[in-house]
Amino acid sequence: SVLLFPVLILSPMCRPCKTPTLQMSLCVYIYIYTLSLFSPCSLVPFQTTPTTFGDLRAANGHSAQRRRVTSGPPPSGLQDWLHTFQAWSGPERLLALDDLIDSCESNQVKHMMQVIEPQFQRDFISLLPKELALYVLTFLEPRDLMHAAQTCSYWRILAEDNLLWREKCREEGIEESLVVQRRKTLKPGFLHSPWKSAYVQQHRIESNWRTGDITSPKVLKGHDDHVITCLQFCGDLIVSGSDDNSLKVWSALTSKCLRTLMSGNIVISGSTDRTLKVWDAESGECVHTLYGHTSTVRCVHLHDKQVVSGSRDATLRLWDVDSGECLHVLTGHVAAVRCVQYDGRRVVSGGYDFMVKVWDPETETCLHTLQGHTNRVYSLQFDGAYVVSGSLDTSIRVWDVVTGGCVHTLTGHQSLTSGMELKNNILVSGNADSTVRVWDIRTGQCLHTLQGPHKHQSAVTCLQFSRSLVVSSSDDGTVKLWSLATGEWIRDLVALQSGGSGGVVWRIRASNTRLVAAVGSRNGTEETKLLVLDFDLTDAQK
C-alpha cells in the first residue's frame, strides 16, 4: 500500500476497468514493485555509501564466501592490490576493470560471468503478487503463454489460469459452446484449464484445415443422378434436398441415411409443388403441409418457431411452425420473390422486379422499397441494421434498414452475385465471374479479391467464411480454402477428377470441424453424392 498510494493519486478519476489510465497506473506500480525486488537495499532508507558486490550477495541471501578457485594459494601482494583498488575513485576503478578484462583469457572472463550473472537474475513473475503476475501474462500471445508454462512449476500454474485463457479465447472468437469439460486436477494443487484446452483444440483444427493431410472423404449416396438443390448441416446431421423430390437426412458419423430428421429440431422444406412441409423431429414424418402459395416456393427463412416463405406468385407468407397456420401474407412485389431474410422483427425480400422490400410482418405493411438495382435481385443478407442485396446487374448494394437509404454501391464483380455471407460488417460475395470478394460494408471498400493463379475457373456456386478462413465452391469442380485476412489461396480441399469436363460442386456447408460438399454433374461425368471431410482429427486418428 505504501508503494501503491502515490501512484493511484495520480489518476483518481480512473474507472475500475482496463482503461489506458488504469493500465498506466498498474504498469508504474509493477515497475516500482519490481525495482524494490531488485534493489539491494529493498525499502530501507537510501545509503550514501556505495554497496559492494559482497553486500549485494548478502542481501540476496547468499553466503559472503563465494566459490573459490582451487588452483593453488592466493598470489602474493593480493591484499595490497585490493587495498589499492579500493582507494581509487569510481571512474578510476572502471578504467582499471576495463584494462583488467582486456588482459584476461576467455576462461577467466567466463569465470567472472558465472560469479556475477546469478546475482542479477530474478524471476520477477514469481516475486510479484499473483494478481499482478497474471496481469503481466495477459499481454503475452497464447503461443508465448504455452512456452512460459514450461519455465517452472509456478509459471505453469499461472499460465494455466482459466480466466486468463477465457480472455484469450474471447479475443480469438472461440465460443463457450466448445468448452464442454470441467476443470481437472492433474496433480495436487494444479488445475487444468478447459478454456486452454478449447484454444488448443481450435488451433489444432484450424491447422488441419490449412495444412493437415486431407483424408479420404466419406461418401453419401442416395439422390441417384439428380441435382442437389439445397444443403444444410447441423451437428452430426446433414439434410439434403434434390430435384428428385426427396429430402434426405444423413449421419455425418456413419454416412448412413437416417429415418429421423433432426433430434430436438425441425426441418422445413419448400417445393415446386407450391407447398411447405414441416417434418417431425422424432418420427421423421410430415406434421404439417402448408398450403397457400399458388406457385413454386423459391426461398424460406426460419426464425425460432416462425418461417417466412417467398414464391413465384410474388407474395411472402409468415407461418407458425407448431400449428401450421399462415399468420400473415405480404403483398407488394410484382414478380417472383427470389430471396428472403427474417430476424423475428423485420422481413426483407428481394425479387425479380429489381426491388428489395423491408416489411413489418405484424401489420403486413411495406416499410421501405429499396430501389436502385437495374436487374433481378438474387441474394440477400440482413444483420438487423444493414440490408445487403446482390443482383444480376453485377452490383451489390448496402442499405440502411431504418431510413431505407442506399449507403454504398459495391462494384467490381462482372456478373451475377449468387451467394453472400455477412458477419460483423464483413461481407464475402461469390460471383458467376469466378471470383470471391471480401468487403467492409461500413466503408464500402473491397478488402480482397480472391483470385490469382489458383482462382476458380468457372462460376462460384456457394461460399462460407469464419473468423479467419473462406471456403468457396465452383462449377469447376473444386472447393478452395482462402485466408480471410490476406485474401491468399491456401489450398484446394476438393478437386473432382471430372472438374472441367462436367463435374460440379453445387453446395457446401461447413462447421468448425467438418466440410460437406454436394457434388455431381449435368452430363453424367460425376455421380451425385455428398462428400464429408473431418478436420477434428488427431495424429493418431489420421
Side-chain angles (χ1 to χ4, degrees):
S1 60
V2 175
L3 289 172
L4 188 59
F5 175 72
V7 175
L8 291 184
I9 62 174
L10 297 176
S11 53
M13 301 301 292
C14 67
R15 298 186 300 275
C17 62
K18 203 179 275 190
T19 62
T21 305
L22 182 56
Q23 281 187 347
M24 181 178 69
S25 298
L26 282 170
C27 288
V28 174
Y29 172 45
I30 293 170
Y31 176 69
I32 295 175
Y33 189 95
T34 306
L35 283 181
S36 74
L37 299 176
F38 281 81
S39 170
C41 56
S42 188
L43 297 179
V44 299
F46 177 73
Q47 299 175 357
T48 54
T49 8
T51 306
T52 67
F53 186 70
D55 294 335
L56 177 60
R57 286 173 54 80
N60 291 334
H62 294 88
S63 169
Q65 183 68 24
R66 66 175 182 269
R67 181 173 60 89
R68 298 293 186 179
V69 179
T70 57
S71 58
S76 61
L78 175 61
Q79 292 302 317
D80 293 337
W81 184 83
L82 290 175
H83 289 151
T84 303
F85 181 82
Q86 291 168 353
W88 289 337
S89 65
E92 290 173 334
R93 291 184 183 185
L94 291 177
L95 286 172
L97 285 173
D98 282 343
D99 288 341
L100 178 62
I101 292 172
D102 287 342
S103 304
C104 290
E105 297 175 358
S106 297
N107 64 325
Q108 295 162 349
V109 175
K110 183 178 180 182
H111 171 74
M112 285 190 287
M113 293 174 61
Q114 291 173 343
V115 173
I116 294 171
E117 279 188 342
Q119 304 309 313
F120 293 96
Q121 293 173 346
R122 289 290 182 277
D123 178 4
F124 75 96
I125 288 291
S126 298
L127 296 172
L128 285 173
K130 182 180 179 182
E131 293 77 10
L132 288 179
L134 287 173
Y135 180 75
V136 172
L137 294 182
T138 62
F139 292 94
L140 294 182
E141 294 295 326
R143 181 185 297 273
D144 297 327
L145 269 179
M146 293 180 187
H147 290 158
Q150 302 174 41
T151 304
C152 63
S153 59
Y154 183 67
W155 279 44
R156 187 181 182 192
I157 292 171
L158 287 177
E160 201 74 24
D161 184 80
N162 205 40
L163 295 179
L164 177 62
W165 280 103
R166 185 181 70 177
E167 182 65 16
K168 296 301 177 184
C169 286
R170 186 194 65 80
E171 293 171 0
E172 294 291 326
I174 299 173
E175 299 179 357
E176 189 174 1
S177 58
L178 292 175
V179 184
V180 295
Q181 55 182 331
R182 295 182 178 180
R183 301 201 73 178
K184 297 178 181 178
T185 302
L186 298 183
K187 52 184 171 181
F190 183 82
L191 290 175
H192 178 75
S193 168
W195 279 104
K196 178 182 177 181
S197 297
Y199 184 92
V200 172
Q201 179 191 21
Q202 179 60 41
H203 184 270
R204 174 174 52 79
I205 291 170
E206 183 165 327
S207 178
N208 286 342
W209 276 91
R210 289 176 175 271
T211 60
D213 294 336
I214 298 178
T215 58
S216 298
K218 296 177 181 177
V219 179
L220 286 56
K221 298 181 181 179
H223 287 295
D224 298 326
D225 292 328
H226 292 268
V227 175
I228 295 177
T229 56
C230 57
L231 182 66
Q232 290 295 331
F233 182 25
C234 180
D236 293 327
L237 298 177
I238 303 165
V239 181
S240 59
S242 168
D243 63 2
D244 63 2
N245 299 321
S246 71
L247 187 71
K248 294 184 179 293
V249 181
W250 314 80
S251 167
L253 296 176
T254 65
S255 306
K256 294 181 179 179
C257 186
L258 306 176
R259 180 172 179 267
T260 56
L261 294 179
M262 297 179 69
S263 179
N265 282 293
I266 58 174
V267 171
I268 311 289
S269 60
S271 172
T272 55
D273 65 5
R274 300 171 291 180
T275 70
L276 287 85
K277 290 184 181 292
V278 181
W279 305 89
D280 182 82
E282 300 302 324
S283 66
E285 297 177 353
C286 179
V287 177
H288 301 297
T289 299
L290 312 182
Y291 296 99
H293 285 298
T294 58
S295 187
T296 297
V297 178
R298 292 305 309 269
C299 51
V300 296
H301 197 278
L302 177 68
H303 182 84
D304 291 336
K305 295 295 183 179
Q306 294 183 335
V307 63
V308 178
S309 58
S311 169
R312 277 183 177 167
D313 64 13
T315 69
L316 296 112
R317 289 176 177 263
L318 179 65
W319 312 81
D320 183 280
V321 171
D322 289 334
S323 66
E325 177 186 1
C326 181
L327 303 177
H328 302 286
V329 180
L330 310 178
T331 58
H333 281 288
V334 294
V337 178
R338 184 63 176 81
C339 45
V340 66
Q341 294 275 292
Y342 178 47
D343 68 351
R345 182 169 172 266
R346 294 284 183 261
V347 173
V348 182
S349 59
Y352 284 176
D353 55 6
F354 311 171
M355 295 182 186
V356 177
K357 289 181 177 287
V358 181
W359 309 82
D360 181 346
E362 294 301 319
T363 62
E364 299 184 359
T365 57
C366 178
L367 303 177
H368 301 292
T369 297
L370 313 181
Q371 298 183 354
H373 284 299
T374 58
N375 212 321
R376 296 175 174 182
V377 178
Y378 273 85
S379 53
L380 279 177
Q381 288 289 291
F382 176 45
D383 66 359
Y386 295 103
V387 176
V388 183
S389 56
S391 168
L392 190 57
D393 65 10
T394 75
S395 74
I396 299 172
R397 289 179 177 262
V398 182
W399 315 83
D400 186 309
V401 74
V402 176
T403 66
C406 182
V407 180
H408 298 292
T409 300
L410 312 181
T411 58
H413 282 305
Q414 305 301 313
S415 187
L416 166 68
T417 298
S418 53
M420 301 185 296
E421 190 169 14
L422 175 64
K423 294 178 185 176
N424 301 321
N425 294 315
I426 297 297
L427 176 76
V428 179
S429 60
N431 196 272
D433 64 5
S434 77
T435 68
V436 178
R437 289 177 180 260
V438 181
W439 314 81
D440 185 334
I441 65 168
R442 294 168 298 185
T443 64
Q445 180 184 3
C446 179
L447 304 178
H448 307 293
T449 300
L450 313 186
Q451 52 182 8
H454 298 285
K455 79 180 190 74
H456 286 296
Q457 300 302 310
S458 188
V460 176
T461 57
C462 197
L463 61 83
Q464 194 170 335
F465 79 97
S466 65
R467 59 187 177 85
S468 60
L469 301 172
V470 178
V471 185
S472 61
S473 63
S474 169
D475 273 345
D476 63 8
T478 66
V479 177
K480 295 181 180 291
L481 185 67
W482 312 81
S483 167
L484 180 64
T486 65
E488 295 177 347
W489 173 83
I490 297 175
R491 61 172 172 167
D492 286 354
L493 298 175
V494 173
L496 301 178
Q497 290 185 349
S498 59
S501 59
V504 177
V505 181
W506 287 308
R507 292 286 183 271
I508 55 171
R509 283 293 181 270
S511 68
N512 184 51
T513 60
R514 290 193 183 97
L515 171 69
V516 181
V519 307
S521 67
R522 298 182 180 89
N523 59 4
T525 57
E526 185 71 40
E527 191 176 13
T528 298
K529 55 184 175 285
L530 300 177
L531 303 179
V532 183
L533 294 173
D534 193 342
F535 297 95
D536 190 13
L537 297 175
T538 63
D539 292 337
Q541 290 172 312
K542 291 177 185 178

